[in-house]
Amino acid sequence: MALNLRELSKRAEGLAPGHRACAGCGFPMIIRLLLATAPEPVVVVNATGCLEVVSTIYPYSAWPVPWLHNAFENAAATASGVEAAARALQARGRLARRPKVVAIGGDGGTYDIGLQSLSGAAERGHDFLYICYNNEGYMNTGIQRSSATPQGARTTTSPAGAVLPGKVQPRKDLTEIMAAHRMPYVAQASISHWGDLAKKLRRALTTSGPTFINVLTPCQPGWDYPPDQLVEIARLAVETRYWPLYEVEDGARYRLTYIPREPLPVRAWLERQGRFKHLLADEARVAELQAWVDDNWARLTSRAAASGERVS
Ligand SMILES: Cc1ncc(C[n+]2csc(CCOP(=O)(O)OP(=O)(O)O)c2C)c(N)n1
């Protein structure tokens, strides 16, 4: 199946309408694209977080595929178990087609609490895709900071005021941590670039062995923007190079999958969100963030160039 809108729209609507995600939330788009690109059968395991809470309010479920609840810390371990069980059943002739196993967690469940089980599953080489829907905070429980929250952002546990300037530390680079596992395929994507995301999903779903995609997805209450600006906000993260779109094969071959033709200053992304409002008047702090973005971009482009890829 071609990965264009015409073909994708022929697949049944994935996540059922009537889920309770906030207006202006990005992750339903990831799930719809996942279910449109996934081969059948597929089994989804889902860590605790907003996605689970809004899509599985008992006795309803918005999922048209087999779906398992997981605690924060064991989504990847459960995925390993499902994958190993399916492999064993197939070897005994009791399963005609092995399902593709997909684990999904928020950044709190992935960058922080579930990292050990994700790392373990990757190291053991299980055949599954892990998707981190990254809204840069523990949003379900009231907008607390996570290790994916960018430096300077206001959250309820890093409030901006006389004591704290927002979150003090820069965000953890989980995509690089996963690439360091030398998994067959690791990628960074954004809901704003759906074609790029669809290609990465297809690639990860058809690669055997562990694969990982980190997808940036804005959170309306957490980032504080008008709901109809969801896609635009996500696009600004990419156009300012705050969130580069790239992929890594076997931990070694880097490729930027989108290069902003005329990159915007990081301020263009910051000023559209309430969570950064307090630091816009502070030129030095904006410059500090810009330096971090530039440094990150330089590091990625040098790796892509070393892999023989076009970087501008
Ligand atoms: C071990 C553990 N600690 C804390 C919680 C409470 N809890 C439930 S959801 C959540 C936040 C989830 O954040 P994230 O994974 O980023 O997903 P989001 O809600 O942002 O979609 C927390 C802290 C829990 N369920 N289990």
Side-chain angles (χ1 to χ4, degrees), residues 27 47-50 72 104-115 118 130-140 144-150 155 167 171-172 174 212 214-217 219 223 243 275:
F27 60 58
T48 310
C50 289
F72 250 150
I104 306 176
D107 50 289
T110 310
Y111 279 63
D112 300 336
I113 309 173
L115 183 57
L118 174 57
Y130 192 106
I131 299 172
C132 174
Y133 69 94
N134 181 358
N135 54 23
E136 303 194 317
Y138 290 52
M139 301 312 192
N140 179 49
Q144 294 94 11
R145 59 87 87 187
S146 82
S147 60
T149 306
T155 71
K167 191 191 172 199
R171 68 167 200 243
K172 183 196 276 184
L174 184 65
F212 173 80
N214 193 353
V215 192
L216 189 74
T217 171
C219 165
W223 297 20
W243 189 256
R275 65 177 174 157

mmCIF file of all heavy atoms in Angstrom, residues 27 47-50 72 104-115 118 130-140 144-150 155 167 171-172 174 212 214-217 219 223 243 275:
data_model
loop_
_atom_site.group_PDB
_atom_site.id
_atom_site.type_symbol
_atom_site.label_atom_id
_atom_site.label_comp_id
_atom_site.label_asym_id
_atom_site.label_seq_id
_atom_site.Cartn_x
_atom_site.Cartn_y
_atom_site.Cartn_z
ATOM 1 N N PHE A 27 -1.910 13.329 20.175
ATOM 2 C CA PHE A 27 -1.626 11.904 20.018
ATOM 3 C C PHE A 27 -2.657 11.065 19.266
ATOM 4 O O PHE A 27 -2.297 10.045 18.694
ATOM 5 C CB PHE A 27 -1.157 11.238 21.317
ATOM 6 C CG PHE A 27 -2.101 11.264 22.490
ATOM 7 C CD1 PHE A 27 -3.368 10.729 22.403
ATOM 8 C CD2 PHE A 27 -1.663 11.769 23.711
ATOM 9 C CE1 PHE A 27 -4.212 10.725 23.500
ATOM 10 C CE2 PHE A 27 -2.502 11.769 24.808
ATOM 11 C CZ PHE A 27 -3.789 11.249 24.701
ATOM 12 N N ALA A 47 1.267 1.854 28.147
ATOM 13 C CA ALA A 47 1.592 2.258 29.515
ATOM 14 C C ALA A 47 0.537 3.241 30.029
ATOM 15 O O ALA A 47 -0.118 3.928 29.252
ATOM 16 C CB ALA A 47 2.972 2.904 29.550
ATOM 17 N N THR A 48 0.429 3.336 31.327
ATOM 18 C CA THR A 48 -0.446 4.322 31.955
ATOM 19 C C THR A 48 -0.114 5.724 31.426
ATOM 20 O O THR A 48 1.034 6.010 31.151
ATOM 21 C CB THR A 48 -0.193 4.329 33.479
ATOM 22 O OG1 THR A 48 -0.245 2.994 33.940
ATOM 23 C CG2 THR A 48 -1.209 5.157 34.221
ATOM 24 N N GLY A 49 -1.103 6.575 31.325
ATOM 25 C CA GLY A 49 -0.870 7.948 30.856
ATOM 26 C C GLY A 49 -2.130 8.463 30.204
ATOM 27 O O GLY A 49 -3.155 7.782 30.171
ATOM 28 N N CYS A 50 -2.078 9.695 29.660
ATOM 29 C CA CYS A 50 -3.265 10.301 29.058
ATOM 30 C C CYS A 50 -3.875 9.407 27.996
ATOM 31 O O CYS A 50 -5.100 9.241 27.950
ATOM 32 C CB CYS A 50 -2.899 11.609 28.359
ATOM 33 S SG CYS A 50 -2.495 12.957 29.442
ATOM 34 N N PHE A 72 3.221 1.797 34.314
ATOM 35 C CA PHE A 72 4.233 2.673 33.739
ATOM 36 C C PHE A 72 5.517 1.933 33.353
ATOM 37 O O PHE A 72 6.085 2.123 32.296
ATOM 38 C CB PHE A 72 4.682 3.623 34.847
ATOM 39 C CG PHE A 72 4.245 5.036 34.667
ATOM 40 C CD1 PHE A 72 4.032 5.804 35.787
ATOM 41 C CD2 PHE A 72 4.104 5.606 33.434
ATOM 42 C CE1 PHE A 72 3.672 7.126 35.686
ATOM 43 C CE2 PHE A 72 3.748 6.924 33.318
ATOM 44 C CZ PHE A 72 3.523 7.686 34.448
ATOM 45 N N ILE A 104 3.259 1.437 23.504
ATOM 46 C CA ILE A 104 3.120 2.900 23.443
ATOM 47 C C ILE A 104 3.156 3.471 24.855
ATOM 48 O O ILE A 104 2.483 2.951 25.755
ATOM 49 C CB ILE A 104 1.782 3.307 22.790
ATOM 50 C CG1 ILE A 104 1.642 2.635 21.413
ATOM 51 C CG2 ILE A 104 1.697 4.821 22.622
ATOM 52 C CD1 ILE A 104 0.320 2.912 20.749
ATOM 53 N N GLY A 105 3.935 4.506 25.039
ATOM 54 C CA GLY A 105 3.967 5.172 26.336
ATOM 55 C C GLY A 105 4.217 6.659 26.169
ATOM 56 O O GLY A 105 4.754 7.100 25.151
ATOM 57 N N GLY A 106 3.823 7.435 27.151
ATOM 58 C CA GLY A 106 4.130 8.866 27.157
ATOM 59 C C GLY A 106 5.599 9.066 27.539
ATOM 60 O O GLY A 106 6.319 8.095 27.821
ATOM 61 N N ASP A 107 6.019 10.315 27.586
ATOM 62 C CA ASP A 107 7.435 10.552 27.922
ATOM 63 C C ASP A 107 7.726 10.197 29.382
ATOM 64 O O ASP A 107 8.799 9.700 29.702
ATOM 65 C CB ASP A 107 7.860 11.982 27.614
ATOM 66 C CG ASP A 107 6.908 13.005 28.187
ATOM 67 O OD1 ASP A 107 5.785 13.126 27.673
ATOM 68 O OD2 ASP A 107 7.270 13.680 29.170
ATOM 69 N N GLY A 108 6.765 10.410 30.273
ATOM 70 C CA GLY A 108 6.979 10.019 31.677
ATOM 71 C C GLY A 108 7.191 8.515 31.769
ATOM 72 O O GLY A 108 8.108 8.021 32.423
ATOM 73 N N GLY A 109 6.340 7.766 31.061
ATOM 74 C CA GLY A 109 6.424 6.312 31.062
ATOM 75 C C GLY A 109 7.621 5.781 30.298
ATOM 76 O O GLY A 109 8.005 4.634 30.496
ATOM 77 N N THR A 110 8.211 6.596 29.438
ATOM 78 C CA THR A 110 9.287 6.102 28.567
ATOM 79 C C THR A 110 10.650 6.662 28.979
ATOM 80 O O THR A 110 11.575 5.907 29.269
ATOM 81 C CB THR A 110 8.978 6.490 27.103
ATOM 82 O OG1 THR A 110 7.643 6.096 26.799
ATOM 83 C CG2 THR A 110 9.950 5.816 26.153
ATOM 84 N N TYR A 111 10.764 7.981 29.037
ATOM 85 C CA TYR A 111 12.048 8.607 29.388
ATOM 86 C C TYR A 111 12.438 8.279 30.833
ATOM 87 O O TYR A 111 13.611 8.213 31.169
ATOM 88 C CB TYR A 111 11.955 10.122 29.297
ATOM 89 C CG TYR A 111 12.084 10.751 27.939
ATOM 90 C CD1 TYR A 111 11.157 10.501 26.930
ATOM 91 C CD2 TYR A 111 13.112 11.646 27.667
ATOM 92 C CE1 TYR A 111 11.256 11.119 25.698
ATOM 93 C CE2 TYR A 111 13.224 12.277 26.427
ATOM 94 C CZ TYR A 111 12.292 12.013 25.452
ATOM 95 O OH TYR A 111 12.393 12.642 24.245
ATOM 96 N N ASP A 112 11.420 8.162 31.698
ATOM 97 C CA ASP A 112 11.692 8.044 33.128
ATOM 98 C C ASP A 112 11.382 6.634 33.645
ATOM 99 O O ASP A 112 12.267 5.805 33.764
ATOM 100 C CB ASP A 112 10.862 9.069 33.909
ATOM 101 C CG ASP A 112 11.172 10.513 33.512
ATOM 102 O OD1 ASP A 112 12.286 10.745 33.003
ATOM 103 O OD2 ASP A 112 10.319 11.385 33.695
ATOM 104 N N ILE A 113 10.105 6.379 33.905
ATOM 105 C CA ILE A 113 9.758 5.205 34.703
ATOM 106 C C ILE A 113 9.913 3.887 33.952
ATOM 107 O O ILE A 113 10.270 2.881 34.543
ATOM 108 C CB ILE A 113 8.344 5.369 35.286
ATOM 109 C CG1 ILE A 113 8.249 6.743 35.980
ATOM 110 C CG2 ILE A 113 8.043 4.270 36.286
ATOM 111 C CD1 ILE A 113 6.874 7.098 36.450
ATOM 112 N N GLY A 114 9.663 3.887 32.625
ATOM 113 C CA GLY A 114 9.745 2.615 31.898
ATOM 114 C C GLY A 114 11.074 2.386 31.184
ATOM 115 O O GLY A 114 11.219 1.427 30.433
ATOM 116 N N LEU A 115 12.037 3.260 31.428
ATOM 117 C CA LEU A 115 13.284 3.189 30.641
ATOM 118 C C LEU A 115 14.031 1.873 30.841
ATOM 119 O O LEU A 115 14.594 1.316 29.904
ATOM 120 C CB LEU A 115 14.185 4.384 30.978
ATOM 121 C CG LEU A 115 15.484 4.494 30.178
ATOM 122 C CD1 LEU A 115 15.216 4.541 28.679
ATOM 123 C CD2 LEU A 115 16.275 5.728 30.596
ATOM 124 N N LEU A 118 12.345 -0.842 28.773
ATOM 125 C CA LEU A 118 12.564 -0.572 27.341
ATOM 126 C C LEU A 118 13.992 -0.937 26.950
ATOM 127 O O LEU A 118 14.240 -1.592 25.937
ATOM 128 C CB LEU A 118 12.269 0.907 27.053
ATOM 129 C CG LEU A 118 12.585 1.418 25.651
ATOM 130 C CD1 LEU A 118 11.854 0.607 24.577
ATOM 131 C CD2 LEU A 118 12.209 2.897 25.520
ATOM 132 N N TYR A 130 8.388 0.281 19.702
ATOM 133 C CA TYR A 130 7.999 1.118 20.848
ATOM 134 C C TYR A 130 7.804 2.550 20.337
ATOM 135 O O TYR A 130 8.711 3.139 19.742
ATOM 136 C CB TYR A 130 9.078 1.086 21.942
ATOM 137 C CG TYR A 130 8.581 1.699 23.245
ATOM 138 C CD1 TYR A 130 8.266 0.891 24.339
ATOM 139 C CD2 TYR A 130 8.394 3.079 23.373
ATOM 140 C CE1 TYR A 130 7.779 1.443 25.528
ATOM 141 C CE2 TYR A 130 7.902 3.636 24.544
ATOM 142 C CZ TYR A 130 7.609 2.812 25.616
ATOM 143 O OH TYR A 130 7.130 3.352 26.788
ATOM 144 N N ILE A 131 6.626 3.099 20.621
ATOM 145 C CA ILE A 131 6.366 4.504 20.255
ATOM 146 C C ILE A 131 6.270 5.316 21.534
ATOM 147 O O ILE A 131 5.473 5.000 22.419
ATOM 148 C CB ILE A 131 5.041 4.641 19.484
ATOM 149 C CG1 ILE A 131 5.089 3.838 18.186
ATOM 150 C CG2 ILE A 131 4.750 6.109 19.180
ATOM 151 C CD1 ILE A 131 3.738 3.775 17.477
ATOM 152 N N CYS A 132 7.081 6.345 21.634
ATOM 153 C CA CYS A 132 6.931 7.296 22.740
ATOM 154 C C CYS A 132 6.145 8.479 22.203
ATOM 155 O O CYS A 132 6.595 9.151 21.269
ATOM 156 C CB CYS A 132 8.300 7.764 23.249
ATOM 157 S SG CYS A 132 8.154 9.070 24.497
ATOM 158 N N TYR A 133 4.941 8.708 22.723
ATOM 159 C CA TYR A 133 4.225 9.941 22.354
ATOM 160 C C TYR A 133 4.669 10.985 23.375
ATOM 161 O O TYR A 133 4.384 10.907 24.547
ATOM 162 C CB TYR A 133 2.701 9.740 22.290
ATOM 163 C CG TYR A 133 2.006 9.497 23.590
ATOM 164 C CD1 TYR A 133 1.440 10.556 24.312
ATOM 165 C CD2 TYR A 133 1.918 8.228 24.122
ATOM 166 C CE1 TYR A 133 0.801 10.346 25.507
ATOM 167 C CE2 TYR A 133 1.282 8.008 25.338
ATOM 168 C CZ TYR A 133 0.729 9.067 26.025
ATOM 169 O OH TYR A 133 0.107 8.851 27.230
ATOM 170 N N ASN A 134 5.443 11.912 22.883
ATOM 171 C CA ASN A 134 6.198 12.793 23.762
ATOM 172 C C ASN A 134 5.549 14.171 23.865
ATOM 173 O O ASN A 134 5.732 15.027 22.995
ATOM 174 C CB ASN A 134 7.628 12.881 23.199
ATOM 175 C CG ASN A 134 8.527 13.755 24.022
ATOM 176 O OD1 ASN A 134 8.106 14.356 25.010
ATOM 177 N ND2 ASN A 134 9.773 13.863 23.618
ATOM 178 N N ASN A 135 4.787 14.391 24.943
ATOM 179 C CA ASN A 135 4.182 15.714 25.156
ATOM 180 C C ASN A 135 4.954 16.494 26.223
ATOM 181 O O ASN A 135 4.473 17.477 26.766
ATOM 182 C CB ASN A 135 2.682 15.613 25.474
ATOM 183 C CG ASN A 135 2.410 14.685 26.650
ATOM 184 O OD1 ASN A 135 3.301 14.457 27.473
ATOM 185 N ND2 ASN A 135 1.199 14.167 26.756
ATOM 186 N N GLU A 136 6.151 16.008 26.505
ATOM 187 C CA GLU A 136 7.134 16.729 27.331
ATOM 188 C C GLU A 136 6.650 17.015 28.751
ATOM 189 O O GLU A 136 6.956 18.070 29.314
ATOM 190 C CB GLU A 136 7.568 18.021 26.634
ATOM 191 C CG GLU A 136 8.145 17.764 25.251
ATOM 192 C CD GLU A 136 8.887 18.943 24.666
ATOM 193 O OE1 GLU A 136 8.393 20.080 24.774
ATOM 194 O OE2 GLU A 136 9.986 18.729 24.114
ATOM 195 N N GLY A 137 5.903 16.085 29.306
ATOM 196 C CA GLY A 137 5.509 16.265 30.704
ATOM 197 C C GLY A 137 4.597 15.140 31.168
ATOM 198 O O GLY A 137 4.107 14.355 30.356
ATOM 199 N N TYR A 138 4.403 15.056 32.474
ATOM 200 C CA TYR A 138 3.437 14.112 33.052
ATOM 201 C C TYR A 138 2.113 14.844 33.034
ATOM 202 O O TYR A 138 1.734 15.515 33.996
ATOM 203 C CB TYR A 138 3.810 13.763 34.491
ATOM 204 C CG TYR A 138 5.044 12.928 34.680
ATOM 205 C CD1 TYR A 138 6.257 13.275 34.118
ATOM 206 C CD2 TYR A 138 4.997 11.774 35.459
ATOM 207 C CE1 TYR A 138 7.388 12.507 34.309
ATOM 208 C CE2 TYR A 138 6.125 10.999 35.665
ATOM 209 C CZ TYR A 138 7.325 11.375 35.085
ATOM 210 O OH TYR A 138 8.431 10.618 35.287
ATOM 211 N N MET A 139 1.409 14.730 31.914
ATOM 212 C CA MET A 139 0.247 15.581 31.710
ATOM 213 C C MET A 139 -0.999 15.028 32.400
ATOM 214 O O MET A 139 -1.815 15.778 32.924
ATOM 215 C CB MET A 139 0.013 15.775 30.213
ATOM 216 C CG MET A 139 1.211 16.403 29.506
ATOM 217 S SD MET A 139 1.827 17.850 30.402
ATOM 218 C CE MET A 139 2.954 18.579 29.216
ATOM 219 N N ASN A 140 -1.135 13.703 32.414
ATOM 220 C CA ASN A 140 -2.338 13.088 32.953
ATOM 221 C C ASN A 140 -2.568 13.412 34.422
ATOM 222 O O ASN A 140 -3.696 13.500 34.881
ATOM 223 C CB ASN A 140 -2.239 11.578 32.744
ATOM 224 C CG ASN A 140 -3.431 10.850 33.287
ATOM 225 O OD1 ASN A 140 -4.562 11.231 33.010
ATOM 226 N ND2 ASN A 140 -3.191 9.847 34.078
ATOM 227 N N GLN A 144 3.187 17.756 35.465
ATOM 228 C CA GLN A 144 4.468 17.787 36.181
ATOM 229 C C GLN A 144 5.623 17.670 35.187
ATOM 230 O O GLN A 144 5.441 17.129 34.096
ATOM 231 C CB GLN A 144 4.551 16.634 37.199
ATOM 232 C CG GLN A 144 3.557 16.743 38.344
ATOM 233 C CD GLN A 144 2.273 15.979 38.095
ATOM 234 O OE1 GLN A 144 2.172 15.195 37.174
ATOM 235 N NE2 GLN A 144 1.269 16.225 38.923
ATOM 236 N N ARG A 145 6.791 18.130 35.558
ATOM 237 C CA ARG A 145 7.953 18.041 34.657
ATOM 238 C C ARG A 145 8.377 16.587 34.511
ATOM 239 O O ARG A 145 8.228 15.770 35.423
ATOM 240 C CB ARG A 145 9.119 18.908 35.147
ATOM 241 C CG ARG A 145 9.650 18.598 36.537
ATOM 242 C CD ARG A 145 10.697 17.543 36.534
ATOM 243 N NE ARG A 145 12.028 18.054 36.306
ATOM 244 C CZ ARG A 145 13.083 17.262 36.137
ATOM 245 N NH1 ARG A 145 12.958 15.935 36.181
ATOM 246 N NH2 ARG A 145 14.260 17.772 35.957
ATOM 247 N N SER A 146 8.893 16.245 33.334
ATOM 248 C CA SER A 146 9.528 14.941 33.128
ATOM 249 C C SER A 146 10.931 15.230 32.625
ATOM 250 O O SER A 146 11.305 16.394 32.417
ATOM 251 C CB SER A 146 8.762 14.108 32.092
ATOM 252 O OG SER A 146 9.121 14.478 30.769
ATOM 253 N N SER A 147 11.721 14.167 32.389
ATOM 254 C CA SER A 147 13.070 14.424 31.865
ATOM 255 C C SER A 147 13.019 14.787 30.383
ATOM 256 O O SER A 147 14.040 15.105 29.788
ATOM 257 C CB SER A 147 13.996 13.239 32.121
ATOM 258 O OG SER A 147 13.507 12.079 31.499
ATOM 259 N N ALA A 148 11.814 14.771 29.788
ATOM 260 C CA ALA A 148 11.670 15.242 28.407
ATOM 261 C C ALA A 148 11.267 16.714 28.349
ATOM 262 O O ALA A 148 11.252 17.323 27.282
ATOM 263 C CB ALA A 148 10.613 14.409 27.686
ATOM 264 N N THR A 149 10.914 17.293 29.473
ATOM 265 C CA THR A 149 10.505 18.712 29.502
ATOM 266 C C THR A 149 11.693 19.603 29.151
ATOM 267 O O THR A 149 12.783 19.416 29.689
ATOM 268 C CB THR A 149 9.995 19.097 30.915
ATOM 269 O OG1 THR A 149 8.965 18.190 31.285
ATOM 270 C CG2 THR A 149 9.461 20.508 30.962
ATOM 271 N N PRO A 150 11.501 20.562 28.240
ATOM 272 C CA PRO A 150 12.634 21.428 27.879
ATOM 273 C C PRO A 150 13.018 22.401 29.001
ATOM 274 O O PRO A 150 12.179 22.759 29.838
ATOM 275 C CB PRO A 150 12.124 22.198 26.660
ATOM 276 C CG PRO A 150 10.650 22.097 26.694
ATOM 277 C CD PRO A 150 10.293 20.848 27.455
ATOM 278 N N THR A 155 6.125 24.155 34.595
ATOM 279 C CA THR A 155 5.220 23.036 34.893
ATOM 280 C C THR A 155 4.797 23.199 36.350
ATOM 281 O O THR A 155 5.311 24.085 37.053
ATOM 282 C CB THR A 155 5.904 21.652 34.723
ATOM 283 O OG1 THR A 155 6.852 21.468 35.783
ATOM 284 C CG2 THR A 155 6.603 21.501 33.382
ATOM 285 N N LYS A 167 11.748 24.967 34.385
ATOM 286 C CA LYS A 167 12.601 23.793 34.562
ATOM 287 C C LYS A 167 14.079 24.163 34.396
ATOM 288 O O LYS A 167 14.452 24.884 33.465
ATOM 289 C CB LYS A 167 12.211 22.693 33.563
ATOM 290 C CG LYS A 167 12.905 21.371 33.905
ATOM 291 C CD LYS A 167 12.759 20.349 32.800
ATOM 292 C CE LYS A 167 13.627 19.149 33.094
ATOM 293 N NZ LYS A 167 13.898 18.334 31.912
ATOM 294 N N ARG A 171 16.371 19.054 28.318
ATOM 295 C CA ARG A 171 15.699 17.752 28.171
ATOM 296 C C ARG A 171 16.706 16.627 27.937
ATOM 297 O O ARG A 171 17.772 16.831 27.372
ATOM 298 C CB ARG A 171 14.688 17.799 27.022
ATOM 299 C CG ARG A 171 15.305 17.925 25.639
ATOM 300 C CD ARG A 171 14.293 17.658 24.507
ATOM 301 N NE ARG A 171 15.017 17.334 23.297
ATOM 302 C CZ ARG A 171 14.993 18.058 22.185
ATOM 303 N NH1 ARG A 171 14.241 19.136 22.100
ATOM 304 N NH2 ARG A 171 15.704 17.701 21.136
ATOM 305 N N LYS A 172 16.328 15.457 28.407
ATOM 306 C CA LYS A 172 17.147 14.254 28.188
ATOM 307 C C LYS A 172 17.028 13.867 26.711
ATOM 308 O O LYS A 172 15.977 14.063 26.112
ATOM 309 C CB LYS A 172 16.577 13.135 29.068
ATOM 310 C CG LYS A 172 17.340 11.822 29.041
ATOM 311 C CD LYS A 172 16.499 10.690 29.615
ATOM 312 C CE LYS A 172 16.556 10.605 31.126
ATOM 313 N NZ LYS A 172 15.795 9.435 31.655
ATOM 314 N N LEU A 174 16.485 11.062 24.715
ATOM 315 C CA LEU A 174 16.160 9.630 24.709
ATOM 316 C C LEU A 174 16.401 8.982 23.343
ATOM 317 O O LEU A 174 16.784 7.813 23.272
ATOM 318 C CB LEU A 174 14.698 9.409 25.123
ATOM 319 C CG LEU A 174 14.321 7.928 25.238
ATOM 320 C CD1 LEU A 174 15.097 7.249 26.358
ATOM 321 C CD2 LEU A 174 12.842 7.762 25.464
ATOM 322 N N PHE A 212 12.227 1.882 17.546
ATOM 323 C CA PHE A 212 11.766 2.910 18.482
ATOM 324 C C PHE A 212 11.499 4.210 17.727
ATOM 325 O O PHE A 212 12.328 4.635 16.914
ATOM 326 C CB PHE A 212 12.845 3.140 19.547
ATOM 327 C CG PHE A 212 12.551 4.289 20.470
ATOM 328 C CD1 PHE A 212 11.675 4.135 21.542
ATOM 329 C CD2 PHE A 212 13.134 5.542 20.270
ATOM 330 C CE1 PHE A 212 11.384 5.204 22.399
ATOM 331 C CE2 PHE A 212 12.851 6.616 21.113
ATOM 332 C CZ PHE A 212 11.978 6.441 22.188
ATOM 333 N N ASN A 214 10.273 8.240 18.555
ATOM 334 C CA ASN A 214 9.978 9.284 19.529
ATOM 335 C C ASN A 214 9.203 10.390 18.797
ATOM 336 O O ASN A 214 9.763 11.068 17.928
ATOM 337 C CB ASN A 214 11.327 9.813 20.055
ATOM 338 C CG ASN A 214 11.185 10.675 21.291
ATOM 339 O OD1 ASN A 214 10.088 11.003 21.715
ATOM 340 N ND2 ASN A 214 12.319 11.049 21.867
ATOM 341 N N VAL A 215 7.909 10.529 19.105
ATOM 342 C CA VAL A 215 7.074 11.475 18.345
ATOM 343 C C VAL A 215 6.675 12.666 19.216
ATOM 344 O O VAL A 215 6.014 12.492 20.247
ATOM 345 C CB VAL A 215 5.778 10.794 17.842
ATOM 346 C CG1 VAL A 215 5.081 11.698 16.821
ATOM 347 C CG2 VAL A 215 6.051 9.426 17.238
ATOM 348 N N LEU A 216 7.059 13.853 18.791
ATOM 349 C CA LEU A 216 6.664 15.058 19.521
ATOM 350 C C LEU A 216 5.189 15.352 19.265
ATOM 351 O O LEU A 216 4.739 15.400 18.119
ATOM 352 C CB LEU A 216 7.507 16.254 19.073
ATOM 353 C CG LEU A 216 7.306 17.494 19.931
ATOM 354 C CD1 LEU A 216 7.994 17.327 21.293
ATOM 355 C CD2 LEU A 216 7.844 18.743 19.242
ATOM 356 N N THR A 217 4.431 15.531 20.356
ATOM 357 C CA THR A 217 2.995 15.771 20.227
ATOM 358 C C THR A 217 2.558 16.795 21.274
ATOM 359 O O THR A 217 2.608 16.526 22.468
ATOM 360 C CB THR A 217 2.210 14.434 20.343
ATOM 361 O OG1 THR A 217 0.822 14.723 20.419
ATOM 362 C CG2 THR A 217 2.624 13.580 21.519
ATOM 363 N N CYS A 219 0.711 19.286 23.904
ATOM 364 C CA CYS A 219 -0.347 19.070 24.896
ATOM 365 C C CYS A 219 -0.985 20.418 25.168
ATOM 366 O O CYS A 219 -0.321 21.337 25.671
ATOM 367 C CB CYS A 219 0.281 18.500 26.166
ATOM 368 S SG CYS A 219 -0.801 18.571 27.605
ATOM 369 N N TRP A 223 1.085 22.867 27.423
ATOM 370 C CA TRP A 223 1.926 23.827 26.707
ATOM 371 C C TRP A 223 1.230 25.180 26.606
ATOM 372 O O TRP A 223 1.874 26.180 26.359
ATOM 373 C CB TRP A 223 2.249 23.324 25.296
ATOM 374 C CG TRP A 223 3.053 22.058 25.227
ATOM 375 C CD1 TRP A 223 3.210 21.114 26.200
ATOM 376 C CD2 TRP A 223 3.797 21.592 24.107
ATOM 377 N NE1 TRP A 223 4.006 20.093 25.738
ATOM 378 C CE2 TRP A 223 4.384 20.350 24.467
ATOM 379 C CE3 TRP A 223 4.046 22.083 22.817
ATOM 380 C CZ2 TRP A 223 5.186 19.619 23.589
ATOM 381 C CZ3 TRP A 223 4.839 21.352 21.946
ATOM 382 C CH2 TRP A 223 5.405 20.134 22.334
ATOM 383 N N TRP A 243 13.268 20.388 17.356
ATOM 384 C CA TRP A 243 12.951 18.952 17.301
ATOM 385 C C TRP A 243 13.319 18.434 15.904
ATOM 386 O O TRP A 243 12.469 18.361 15.014
ATOM 387 C CB TRP A 243 11.464 18.728 17.612
ATOM 388 C CG TRP A 243 11.118 17.289 17.777
ATOM 389 C CD1 TRP A 243 10.473 16.481 16.871
ATOM 390 C CD2 TRP A 243 11.414 16.461 18.910
ATOM 391 N NE1 TRP A 243 10.351 15.217 17.387
ATOM 392 C CE2 TRP A 243 10.919 15.172 18.632
ATOM 393 C CE3 TRP A 243 12.056 16.680 20.135
ATOM 394 C CZ2 TRP A 243 11.041 14.102 19.525
ATOM 395 C CZ3 TRP A 243 12.174 15.628 21.028
ATOM 396 C CH2 TRP A 243 11.668 14.355 20.717
ATOM 397 N N ARG A 275 3.672 28.189 28.390
ATOM 398 C CA ARG A 275 4.635 27.623 29.345
ATOM 399 C C ARG A 275 6.007 28.308 29.287
ATOM 400 O O ARG A 275 6.841 28.086 30.146
ATOM 401 C CB ARG A 275 4.777 26.110 29.146
ATOM 402 C CG ARG A 275 5.364 25.693 27.827
ATOM 403 C CD ARG A 275 5.542 24.181 27.746
ATOM 404 N NE ARG A 275 5.969 23.821 26.403
ATOM 405 C CZ ARG A 275 6.609 22.712 26.094
ATOM 406 N NH1 ARG A 275 6.903 21.837 27.020
ATOM 407 N NH2 ARG A 275 6.940 22.451 24.831
#
